Amino acid sequence: MTNRRQLLAFGLMAATAIPVSAISLDTAQAAATADDLNRDANNALQMLYRTNPTAMSLSKSAKAVLVFPNIVKAGLVFGGSYGEGVLKKGTQVMGYYNSASASWGLQAGAQSYGYAVFLMTDKAVDYLNKSQGWEIGVGPTVVVVDEGVAKNLSSTTLKDDAYAFIFDQKGLMAGLALEGTKISHIKRS
């Protein structure tokens, strides 16, 4: 029990000793222009479609796609993630959003990744447009597609509101989940 307390105390001291600027995003990246986001989102979707045929298939019947080309996640006891993305309906940009989450617990590391959410129903698109922020896990049902889920997806089994694909993971950090992530509308110039 003493070792556990010492480890917790050390973790808390280490987390509070790291300046916030050391784990925050580069200001230029956080302030991406609309053109930058559009280009990065298009490139990310093309890469996802090349590497995952299920994503390409879903795109043909999706009402809209919300793509976050680069999410940065870091943590040492306390952690968080942030990235900006684009809502697309076909080739048309419908809006810009950010994705943010916070967490605490046994964690250490940093990573970046992208994710795309294929909104399959008008209900899901409406919820995103009308809500003050969509917390994944609340509202429309989102299924994270991994290899096992992808094998069982077909036009007859698509019954959920949204399907999410995580891609282009880099770095070292245990665990990756979208549950608890909040997506909010932002303005971009």
Side-chain angles (χ1 to χ4, degrees):
M1 189 63 115
T2 302
N3 287 341
R4 184 185 236 175
R5 286 185 188 150
Q6 288 173 338
L7 181 61
L8 180 58
F10 174 75
L12 289 172
M13 286 187 322
T16 57
I18 297 173
V20 174
S21 62
I23 59 172
S24 66
L25 295 176
D26 179 79
T27 307
Q29 180 183 355
T33 66
D35 289 340
D36 293 337
L37 282 173
N38 293 340
R39 181 189 64 245
D40 292 348
N42 288 335
N43 290 341
L45 278 177
Q46 291 309 312
M47 190 229 8
L48 175 62
Y49 295 156
R50 279 193 308 273
T51 60
N52 193 319
T54 303
M56 174 62 106
S57 176
L58 275 179
S59 72
K60 294 174 182 167
S61 55
K63 302 288 183 180
V65 179
L66 183 59
V67 59
F68 293 95
N70 188 36
I71 303 291
V72 176
K73 180 178 183 179
L76 180 61
V77 180
F78 297 98
S81 67
Y82 182 83
E84 295 180 348
V86 178
L87 177 64
K88 298 179 63 108
K89 191 171 190 175
T91 59
Q92 184 179 5
V93 172
M94 304 302 291
Y96 299 96
Y97 292 81
N98 67 23
S99 172
S101 69
S103 59
W104 68 275
L106 189 56
Q107 59 185 321
Q111 72 178 166
S112 67
Y113 59 94
Y115 74 92
V117 180
F118 293 81
L119 304 171
M120 306 305 291
T121 64
D122 290 326
K123 172 183 143 187
V125 176
D126 290 344
Y127 186 87
L128 179 63
N129 288 330
K130 293 177 182 173
S131 66
Q132 294 299 319
W134 178 14
E135 185 175 335
I136 303 291
V138 177
T141 305
V142 178
V143 174
V144 176
V145 179
D146 59 16
E147 286 183 33
V149 172
K151 287 179 186 175
N152 295 317
L153 281 181
S154 70
S155 58
T156 57
T157 61
L158 290 175
K159 299 197 184 320
D160 291 294
D161 297 316
Y163 293 88
F165 291 80
I166 298 170
F167 56 89
D168 200 25
Q169 290 177 265
K170 297 175 186 143
L172 294 171
M173 190 161 194
L176 181 60
L178 296 180
E179 190 86 19
T181 297
K182 184 161 184 181
I183 297 171
S184 303
H185 187 267
I186 58 175
K187 295 189 189 277
R188 272 295 150 242
S189 55

